[in-house]
Amino acid sequence: MSFQTDTIHAGVGPDKAYGAIMTPIYQSSTFVFEDIGKTRGFDYTRSGNPTRKALEDNIAALEGCSCAVAVTTGMAAIATVMHLFSHGDEIICTDDCYGGTARLLKTIQEHFDIRIHFISLVDPSGIEAHINEKTKAIWIETPSNPLLNLIDVEAVTAIARQHGLLSIVDNTFLSPYNQQPFKLGADIVVHSTTKYLNGHSDVVGGAVLSNSPEIDEKLKFLVNTLGTCAQPFDCWLVLRGIKTLVPRMKEHERNAKLVAAFLDAHPKVSHVYYPGLESHPQHELAKKQQRGFGGMVSFEVDGGIDEVNKILKGTKLFALAESLGGVESLIEHPATMSHASMGAEHRAAAGINDGVIRLSIGIEDPDDLIADLAQALA
Ligand SMILES: *Cc1c(COP(=O)(O)O)cnc(C)c1O
């Protein structure tokens, strides 16, 4: 089936008990055995739950892979993946990753002696200098947050394969509609389903996806062992959100293009970060590896923190809040909000200065969004 049909139908059969068209919420911790050692497919919700399975089968179909595990948050997805590694291993990670990812990887480095090399992956030719016999994986996040730098996924996964490393892609920013990392050579994909997949800012969730029997088994083992599994009601909400993923992503992108063009022409804006702009240095790569350009736009203004503050407080429709990917538009300040946990030094190295403002473009009428930014900038 096509991607759009799969968003609505994959993993979702008519309910076997009563024929309900929508997946029931199996809000049950345990399931009755029919005989010793004989269940109807589920025994205990940490190990498996029918509502969670529907979501997992759905997301696996969208990413085009063999296995998905649905977990409590995006961070739980990343923490689960980190349990594939052990003491002494080394991991290469893109330096302008999500702030929470940087914090988790630094914590793991401190507590478990897993060394993390934060480097720019924008130029893949610099990667090999950081690979040694202890290196186990390359962590890719593209487009990056908040500067919308792209990583050439095919080029980086080829280097990983050559050296026997796992390549892991955080695909949260584009969703599987706009980018399909397994087709570009990834071994593992993670999502914060909190963002575009759910799309309605009413749940936190995550998913880890894989496409080989060996990794599939390890991930299922880890979710059951660590207890990072998502709850049935949360799974139901995400499953419901995904049904409108395609029309939402189209609207996010239409609006993001219009907002980016408006900001690009505004005299107070010194820089706009959006891969859909022809002036973006990696516009061609975006066209090559993505179906679309997504709904995230960042920009910079001159005038320092005071000017930034005026804009953040000046918008009426854009709400000043972290997170992204919901139907409503948000504005935020990476240096003090989403990327505060990264630390000033790491932010400076990644080029995230205090003048950067990040927008998550919702699906409101674009004229209203532009009018709101125009009055806040005035
Ligand atoms: C939000 C986000 C995460 C973390 O997800 P949570 O659901 O908030 O735990 C990880 N990666 C990226 C790219 C994100 O945007």
Side-chain angles (χ1 to χ4, degrees), residues 242-263:
I242 289 175
K243 291 179 199 295
T244 56
L245 179 67
V246 174
R248 279 189 289 108
M249 292 315 288
K250 287 180 176 166
E251 291 285 295
H252 283 299
E253 176 162 333
R254 180 195 62 150
N255 287 357
K257 280 180 172 160
L258 292 167
V259 167
F262 162 77
L263 291 171

Side-chain angles (χ1 to χ4, degrees), residues 285-321:
L285 175 60
K287 285 203 285 191
K288 190 183 92 171
Q289 72 181 12
Q290 302 174 191
R291 189 206 299 255
F293 303 113
M296 298 301 295
V297 178
S298 294
F299 66 102
E300 247 177 274
V301 287
D302 296 329
I305 198 79
D306 290 341
E307 190 60 32
V308 166
N309 236 334
K310 269 188 225 158
I311 296 164
L312 294 176
K313 286 200 279 198
T315 57
K316 297 188 171 82
L317 186 51
F318 281 85
L320 179 57

Side-chain angles (χ1 to χ4, degrees), residues 71-74 192-195 198 201-206 230-231 234-235 237-238 323:
V71 293
T72 49
T73 60
S192 167
T193 56
T194 311
K195 316 294 168 54
N198 179 58
S201 306
D202 50 14
V203 71
V204 287
Q231 297 299 311
D234 294 354
C235 292
L237 281 171
V238 177
S323 198

Side-chain angles (χ1 to χ4, degrees), residues 189-239:
V189 170
V190 299
H191 275 285
S192 167
T193 56
T194 311
K195 316 294 168 54
Y196 288 107
L197 282 170
N198 179 58
H200 293 77
S201 306
D202 50 14
V203 71
V204 287
V208 188
L209 298 104
S210 56
N211 203 22
S212 81
E214 196 197 335
I215 304 174
D216 297 356
E217 280 319 304
K218 281 185 185 168
L219 289 172
K220 286 180 192 159
F221 170 84
L222 283 173
V223 167
N224 188 35
T225 301
L226 299 169
T228 45
C229 58
Q231 297 299 311
F233 181 56
D234 294 354
C235 292
W236 183 85
L237 281 171
V238 177
L239 198 55

Side-chain angles (χ1 to χ4, degrees), residues 73-76 78 98 101 141 145 170 172-173 192-195 204-205 324:
T73 60
M75 289 319 303
I78 299 169
Y98 177 70
T101 305
E141 184 183 321
N145 180 5
D170 185 332
T172 300
F173 255 44
S192 167
T193 56
T194 311
K195 316 294 168 54
V204 287
L324 59 110

Side-chain angles (χ1 to χ4, degrees), residues 22-239:
M22 284 298 138
T23 308
I25 305 167
Y26 284 95
Q27 193 72 34
S28 183
S29 59
T30 192
F31 296 83
V32 177
F33 278 63
E34 294 187 324
D35 205 337
I36 292 173
K38 187 159 178 260
T39 66
R40 286 200 251 167
F42 298 94
D43 51 34
Y44 186 60
T45 278
R46 174 159 41 72
S47 331
N49 175 282
T51 313
R52 190 162 88 231
K53 184 171 190 313
L55 172 65
E56 290 171 340
D57 290 351
N58 183 277
I59 304 182
L62 301 186
E63 284 287 6
C65 65
S66 56
C67 176
V69 290
V71 293
T72 49
T73 60
M75 289 319 303
I78 299 169
T80 301
V81 170
M82 282 300 136
H83 281 79
L84 294 170
F85 306 107
S86 53
H87 158 94
D89 289 350
E90 298 193 5
I91 297 169
I92 292 171
C93 179
T94 175
D95 64 356
D96 57 355
C97 60
Y98 177 70
T101 305
R103 178 173 54 191
L104 174 66
L105 267 55
K106 283 174 194 165
T107 305
I108 279 168
Q109 172 161 271
E110 249 171 59
H111 294 195
F112 303 110
D113 189 28
I114 294 174
R115 179 141 184 243
I116 316 291
H117 300 258
F118 289 103
I119 61 167
S120 168
L121 301 182
V122 170
D123 176 8
S125 71
I127 296 173
E128 273 171 322
H130 298 270
I131 297 176
N132 61 48
E133 68 286 351
K134 292 179 177 169
T135 314
K136 291 286 151 49
I138 304 183
W139 191 280
I140 301 164
E141 184 183 321
T142 179
S144 75
N145 180 5
L147 297 183
L148 288 307
N149 292 317
L150 304 193
I151 295 167
D152 186 333
V153 180
E154 220 166 4
V156 175
T157 59
I159 293 170
R161 218 170 12 262
Q162 257 170 27
H163 294 272
L165 317 179
L166 286 177
S167 35
I168 305 160
V169 178
D170 185 332
N171 202 27
T172 300
F173 255 44
L174 286 174
S175 89
Y177 176 63
N178 275 329
Q179 181 165 269
Q180 306 235 294
F182 288 112
K183 293 201 180 107
L184 302 168
D187 299 303
I188 295 175
V189 170
V190 299
H191 275 285
S192 167
T193 56
T194 311
K195 316 294 168 54
Y196 288 107
L197 282 170
N198 179 58
H200 293 77
S201 306
D202 50 14
V203 71
V204 287
V208 188
L209 298 104
S210 56
N211 203 22
S212 81
E214 196 197 335
I215 304 174
D216 297 356
E217 280 319 304
K218 281 185 185 168
L219 289 172
K220 286 180 192 159
F221 170 84
L222 283 173
V223 167
N224 188 35
T225 301
L226 299 169
T228 45
C229 58
Q231 297 299 311
F233 181 56
D234 294 354
C235 292
W236 183 85
L237 281 171
V238 177
L239 198 55

